[in-house]
Amino acid sequence: MKNIIDTLKASVIEYCSTIGADSLLVQGAGGNVSWKDKDTLWVKASGTWLAEAAEKDIFVPVDLPHLQAAIENGDFSVTPRLSGESSLRPSIETLLHALMPHRVVVHLHAIEILAHLVRDNCQTDFQSLLDDFTSWAMVDYYKPGAALAAAVSAALAQKPNVDVIFLKNHGVVIGGADVAEVSRILDMLTSALSITPASICSKSLPQIPMELGQCDQYAPVQDADIHQLALNADLFNRLDSDWALYPDHVVFLGPRAYTYKTWEALGEQIKSKYEQPELVFIRGGGAFVRLTFNKTKEAQLRCYYDVMSRQEPTINLIELDSGQIDELLNWDAEHHRANLAKLKTLDDTN
Ligand SMILES: [Zn+2]
């Protein structure tokens, strides 16, 4: 038995390294993977990267019967109990893994799937695109953690034998007996749902105009494709209307995009010493960041580009509403009002 579990652990780790290296499947610390070994649920730790599974210890052992008893009692806010030594904290999405009856569970924000899950008609699309694969259920958007776990639990109660749960405006959960089964389902989904991205009109990095000295604290985003978000008129228009589409995006890149019709508009804002955003988009100019813009944020921005470059201009997307954004950012109503006021002033300046 020990050998079987060791082999399972080795295959999960190898799989995590493989999918973690593919930005169309995993972005930064996003996504999580687990396997069950008798009474222990081994789940990815919060904040760790799947891509680093082979080099670092990224899994935490959690008491599975304890979580299952809580789920049985409808307690989805239960704090997972460690069942072994670890200095790491289990993922916020641990309950999703405990809920699924499968031995191996993978939760991802895979681009080819996410690009559909932000659309208003994703449910009907999936019914035709997934053809004879019916082992799935879909849940509406809920805040990751207790609320999402409760919704998934209710979906499983309705359709207990499904291997796939789609989470609107979020991602997918896939369960299987082993890594091979999960991998086969993921491959099938990504190929059935794949969308050709919009073509790229330039591969060179844009520059900041010399005469705008006050903007020199910004540098172009180093991933040349991302500038399409500002160079392509349809994508630029989407920045204002379709920004807050899924949780990690809002958490890492904020509740709104800072868009400017001209470089001068940004220059004016900087001169006024008002808020100086970390990431800005200049229409026809490109995407620019301050030095503080880190690797995790860059991975999220790439994710947004990959999702948006798969949307035809006529497709309707569903943004998270202000209440959903507030709860992700842990803003109380007071903070929200103050922030809205701030945004209003900013809008007046650009
Ligand atoms: Zn997630």
Side-chain angles (χ1 to χ4, degrees), residues 23-24 27 109-119 169-170 195-198 229 235 238 242-243 245-246 249 299-312 315 317:
S23 66
L24 289 180
Q27 305 78 29
H109 313 138
I111 300 295
E112 302 291 5
I113 305 173
L114 182 57
H116 288 273
L117 291 170
V118 296
R119 297 178 179 182
N169 288 90
H170 185 157
I195 306 164
T196 309
L229 291 170
L235 292 181
R238 292 263 199 193
D242 298 312
W243 175 256
L245 292 173
Y246 41 90
H249 179 82
Q300 279 308 318
L301 185 56
R302 175 74 210 195
C303 175
Y304 179 75
Y305 163 73
D306 283 327
V307 168
M308 299 313 290
S309 61
R310 283 166 171 74
Q311 313 298 342
E312 294 288 334
I315 290 174
L317 305 185

Side-chain angles (χ1 to χ4, degrees), residues 57-118:
D57 223 355
I58 64 162
F59 290 98
V60 196
V62 169
D63 182 341
L64 182 57
H66 169 244
L67 289 184
Q68 287 168 330
I71 291 165
E72 188 75 16
N73 291 327
D75 173 14
F76 297 99
S77 318
V78 59
T79 304
R81 200 152 66 191
L82 294 194
S83 59
E85 286 293 302
S86 179
S87 54
L88 302 169
R89 208 157 39 94
S91 157
I92 187 182
E93 290 169 314
T94 296
L95 245 66
L96 284 186
H97 294 263
L99 277 166
M100 297 287 281
H102 311 73
R103 176 170 279 182
V104 176
V105 177
V106 170
H107 163 56
L108 300 174
H109 313 138
I111 300 295
E112 302 291 5
I113 305 173
L114 182 57
H116 288 273
L117 291 170
V118 296

